[in-house]
Amino acid sequence: MAINWILESVDQSPSTNEDLMTRWRAGQLWEPIARKAITQTSGKGRLGRSWVSHTKQALTFSVAYPFKKSISELSGLSLACGLAAIKGISEASGISQEDLKKSGLGLKWPNDIFLNNKKMAGLLLEGGQLDPSQATWIVIGIGINLTADETLKNSIQRPIASLDQIDQAKTIDADVLWLAILKELAETIELFEQYSFAKFQQEWNSWDVYRNQHCAIVQNEQIQFEGFERGVDAEGHLLIESDNKIQKIISGDVSLKAKV
């Protein structure tokens, strides 16, 4: 059965994730819902970072969905949602997934979409169970840079990419892209409920921008260890090979960086 999202669109919000998280904490979520803001003033990213979103420069939205699985069974969900976002971009733009790969689009563990080695989009997942008898509500926030100018680049202070850097994607309408991603998220969530991340493992690895590269795992600006990135396992854990041994990276509190 397809998911029918309740759709909300507002001109401005501090954070669409926080909007839905507040409703969840108050017990005010009943049906799957998608909320989009044209401008986010205090958008959230991973590791406490902010997501800068200016009018018409980004697509920023969040969805909330009540999973039947426990929180411990949702490992790898963010990776699967990254795939859904790429499929939505493909559908909205009319560019095949293979051509998107050739353009330099790919996924970086655990929550980023990269274009030619620069971050173009990010995901943030939050939520849980208010009590064990209830569904596991997960709020999935997605931000995609549609365009980028020097002001935006300077405010972020790190290299970024935007969707309009893909020639055929320059004219994508933000609402068309939003609805396309919502459709793909619905299909992804239904498959995840049935099969967990194992269903998506091989496909995600085919989009992995750092696979087989020499990478470092960084926490609090300190390198914890380094080795060759070997994709993810059936639970979405990152695999790093060092000294002929495979180390599984589970924590979302670390960053993956390529070694130059």
Side-chain angles (χ1 to χ4, degrees), residues 43 45 49-54 57-58 60 118-122 143-162:
R49 300 188 183 108
S50 62
W51 181 276
V52 178
S53 167
H54 301 305
Q57 285 190 322
T60 53
K118 298 177 182 178
K119 184 172 178 176
M120 189 190 81
I144 301 174
N145 293 326
L146 301 177
T147 65
D149 57 22
E150 289 305 314
T151 301
L152 180 61
K153 292 175 183 177
N154 291 337
S155 65
I156 294 175
Q157 294 186 331
R158 60 180 179 271
I160 60 170
S162 54

Coordinates of all heavy atoms in Angstrom, one line a residue, residues 43 45 49-54 57-58 60 118-122 143-162:
G43 N 18.1 25.7 10.2 CA 18.1 24.3 9.8 C 19.3 23.6 10.4 O 20.3 24.1 10.8
G45 N 22.0 20.2 10.7 CA 22.7 19.2 10.0 C 23.3 18.2 11.0 O 23.0 18.3 12.2
R49 N 25.9 20.7 13.3 CA 26.1 21.8 12.3 C 24.8 22.4 11.9 O 23.7 21.8 12.0 CB 26.8 21.2 11.1 CG 28.2 20.6 11.4 CD 28.9 20.3 10.1 NE 30.2 19.6 10.3 CZ 30.4 18.3 10.1 NH1 29.5 17.6 9.6 NH2 31.6 17.8 10.3
S50 N 24.8 23.6 11.3 CA 23.6 24.3 10.8 C 23.6 24.0 9.3 O 24.6 23.8 8.6 CB 23.7 25.8 11.1 OG 24.8 26.4 10.4
W51 N 22.3 24.1 8.8 CA 22.2 23.9 7.3 C 21.6 25.3 6.8 O 20.5 25.7 7.2 CB 21.2 22.8 7.0 CG 21.0 22.7 5.5 CD1 20.1 23.4 4.7 CD2 21.7 21.9 4.6 NE1 20.3 23.1 3.4 CE2 21.2 22.1 3.3 CE3 22.7 20.9 4.8 CZ2 21.7 21.5 2.2 CZ3 23.2 20.2 3.6 CH2 22.7 20.5 2.3
V52 N 22.4 26.0 6.1 CA 22.1 27.3 5.6 C 21.1 27.2 4.4 O 21.4 26.5 3.5 CB 23.3 28.1 5.2 CG1 22.9 29.5 4.7 CG2 24.2 28.3 6.4
S53 N 20.0 27.9 4.5 CA 19.0 27.7 3.4 C 18.4 29.1 3.1 O 17.7 29.7 4.0 CB 17.9 26.8 3.9 OG 16.7 26.9 3.0
H54 N 18.7 29.6 1.9 CA 18.1 30.9 1.5 C 17.0 30.7 0.5 O 17.0 29.6 -0.2 CB 19.2 31.8 0.9 CG 20.3 32.1 1.8 ND1 20.1 32.6 3.1 CD2 21.7 31.9 1.7 CE1 21.3 32.8 3.7 NE2 22.2 32.3 2.9
Q57 N 17.2 29.0 -3.1 CA 18.6 28.4 -3.3 C 18.6 26.9 -2.9 O 19.5 26.2 -3.2 CB 19.6 29.1 -2.5 CG 20.0 30.5 -3.2 CD 21.2 31.1 -2.5 OE1 21.4 31.0 -1.3 NE2 22.1 31.7 -3.3
A58 N 17.6 26.5 -2.1 CA 17.6 25.1 -1.6 C 16.2 24.5 -1.5 O 15.2 25.3 -1.3 CB 18.3 25.0 -0.3
T60 N 14.3 22.4 1.1 CA 14.5 21.9 2.5 C 13.1 21.4 3.0 O 12.1 22.1 3.0 CB 15.0 23.0 3.4 OG1 14.1 24.2 3.3 CG2 16.4 23.4 3.1
K118 N 32.1 17.4 -3.8 CA 31.6 18.5 -2.9 C 30.2 18.2 -2.5 O 29.4 17.6 -3.2 CB 31.6 19.9 -3.7 CG 32.9 20.3 -4.1 CD 32.8 21.6 -4.9 CE 34.2 22.1 -5.4 NZ 34.1 23.3 -6.2
K119 N 29.8 18.6 -1.3 CA 28.5 18.3 -0.7 C 27.4 19.1 -1.4 O 27.5 20.3 -1.5 CB 28.5 18.6 0.8 CG 27.2 18.2 1.5 CD 27.2 18.3 3.0 CE 25.9 17.9 3.6 NZ 26.0 17.9 5.1
M120 N 26.4 18.4 -1.9 CA 25.3 19.0 -2.6 C 24.0 18.9 -1.7 O 23.1 19.8 -1.8 CB 25.0 18.4 -3.9 CG 24.0 19.1 -4.8 SD 23.5 18.2 -6.3 CE 22.3 17.0 -5.6
A121 N 23.9 17.8 -0.9 CA 22.7 17.6 -0.1 C 23.1 16.8 1.1 O 24.1 16.1 1.2 CB 21.7 16.8 -1.0
G122 N 22.2 16.9 2.1 CA 22.4 16.2 3.3 C 21.1 15.7 3.9 O 20.0 16.3 3.6
G143 N 18.0 18.4 2.9 CA 18.3 19.7 2.3 C 19.1 19.5 1.0 O 20.1 18.8 1.1
I144 N 18.7 20.1 -0.1 CA 19.4 20.0 -1.3 C 19.7 21.4 -1.9 O 18.8 22.2 -2.0 CB 18.5 19.2 -2.4 CG1 18.2 17.8 -1.9 CG2 19.3 19.2 -3.7 CD1 17.3 17.1 -2.8
N145 N 21.0 21.7 -2.1 CA 21.3 23.0 -2.8 C 20.9 23.0 -4.2 O 21.3 22.1 -5.0 CB 22.8 23.2 -2.7 CG 23.3 23.4 -1.3 OD1 22.6 23.9 -0.4 ND2 24.5 22.9 -1.0
L146 N 20.0 23.9 -4.5 CA 19.5 24.0 -5.9 C 20.4 24.9 -6.7 O 20.7 24.6 -7.9 CB 18.1 24.5 -6.0 CG 17.0 23.7 -5.2 CD1 15.7 24.4 -5.3 CD2 16.9 22.3 -5.8
T147 N 20.8 26.0 -6.1 CA 21.8 26.9 -6.7 C 22.8 27.3 -5.6 O 22.5 27.2 -4.4 CB 21.1 28.2 -7.3 OG1 20.5 28.9 -6.2 CG2 20.1 27.8 -8.3
A148 N 23.9 27.9 -6.0 CA 24.9 28.4 -5.0 C 25.6 29.6 -5.5 O 26.0 29.6 -6.7 CB 25.9 27.3 -4.7
D149 N 25.7 30.7 -4.7 CA 26.4 31.9 -5.1 C 27.5 32.1 -4.1 O 27.7 31.3 -3.1 CB 25.5 33.1 -5.2 CG 24.8 33.4 -4.0 OD1 25.2 32.9 -2.9 OD2 23.7 34.1 -4.0
E150 N 28.3 33.1 -4.3 CA 29.4 33.4 -3.4 C 29.0 33.7 -2.0 O 29.7 33.3 -1.0 CB 30.3 34.5 -4.0 CG 31.1 34.2 -5.2 CD 32.0 32.9 -5.0 OE1 32.7 32.9 -4.0 OE2 31.9 32.1 -5.9
T151 N 27.9 34.3 -1.8 CA 27.4 34.6 -0.5 C 27.1 33.3 0.3 O 27.5 33.2 1.5 CB 26.1 35.5 -0.5 OG1 26.3 36.7 -1.2 CG2 25.6 35.8 0.9
L152 N 26.5 32.4 -0.4 CA 26.2 31.1 0.3 C 27.5 30.4 0.6 O 27.7 29.8 1.7 CB 25.2 30.3 -0.6 CG 24.9 28.9 0.0 CD1 24.1 29.0 1.3 CD2 24.0 28.1 -1.0
K153 N 28.4 30.3 -0.4 CA 29.6 29.6 -0.2 C 30.4 30.2 1.0 O 31.0 29.5 1.8 CB 30.5 29.6 -1.4 CG 29.9 28.8 -2.6 CD 30.7 29.0 -3.9 CE 30.0 28.2 -5.0 NZ 30.7 28.4 -6.3
N154 N 30.4 31.5 1.1 CA 31.2 32.2 2.1 C 30.5 32.0 3.5 O 31.2 31.8 4.5 CB 31.3 33.7 1.9 CG 32.2 34.0 0.7 OD1 33.0 33.2 0.3 ND2 31.9 35.2 0.1
S155 N 29.2 31.9 3.5 CA 28.5 31.7 4.8 C 28.8 30.2 5.3 O 28.8 30.0 6.5 CB 27.0 31.9 4.7 OG 26.4 31.0 3.8
I156 N 28.9 29.3 4.4 CA 29.1 27.9 4.8 C 30.6 27.7 5.1 O 31.0 26.8 6.0 CB 28.6 27.0 3.8 CG1 27.1 27.1 3.7 CG2 29.0 25.5 4.0 CD1 26.5 26.3 2.6
Q157 N 31.5 28.3 4.4 CA 32.9 28.2 4.6 C 33.5 26.8 4.4 O 34.4 26.4 5.0 CB 33.3 28.7 6.0 CG 33.0 30.2 6.2 CD 33.5 30.8 7.5 OE1 33.6 30.0 8.5 NE2 33.9 32.0 7.5
R158 N 32.9 26.1 3.4 CA 33.5 24.9 3.0 C 33.0 24.6 1.6 O 31.9 25.2 1.2 CB 33.2 23.7 3.9 CG 31.7 23.4 4.1 CD 31.6 22.2 5.1 NE 30.2 21.9 5.3 CZ 29.5 22.4 6.3 NH1 30.0 23.3 7.1 NH2 28.2 22.0 6.4
P159 N 33.7 23.8 0.8 CA 33.2 23.6 -0.6 C 31.8 23.0 -0.7 O 31.5 22.1 0.1 CB 34.3 22.6 -1.2 CG 35.5 22.8 -0.3 CD 34.9 23.1 1.1
I160 N 31.0 23.5 -1.6 CA 29.7 23.0 -1.8 C 29.4 22.9 -3.2 O 30.0 23.5 -4.1 CB 28.6 23.9 -1.1 CG1 28.6 25.3 -1.7 CG2 28.8 23.9 0.4 CD1 27.4 26.1 -1.3
A161 N 28.4 22.1 -3.5 CA 27.9 21.9 -4.9 C 26.4 22.2 -4.9 O 25.7 22.2 -3.9 CB 28.2 20.5 -5.4
S162 N 25.9 22.4 -6.1 CA 24.4 22.6 -6.2 C 23.9 21.9 -7.5 O 24.6 21.6 -8.4 CB 24.1 24.1 -6.3 OG 24.9 24.7 -7.4

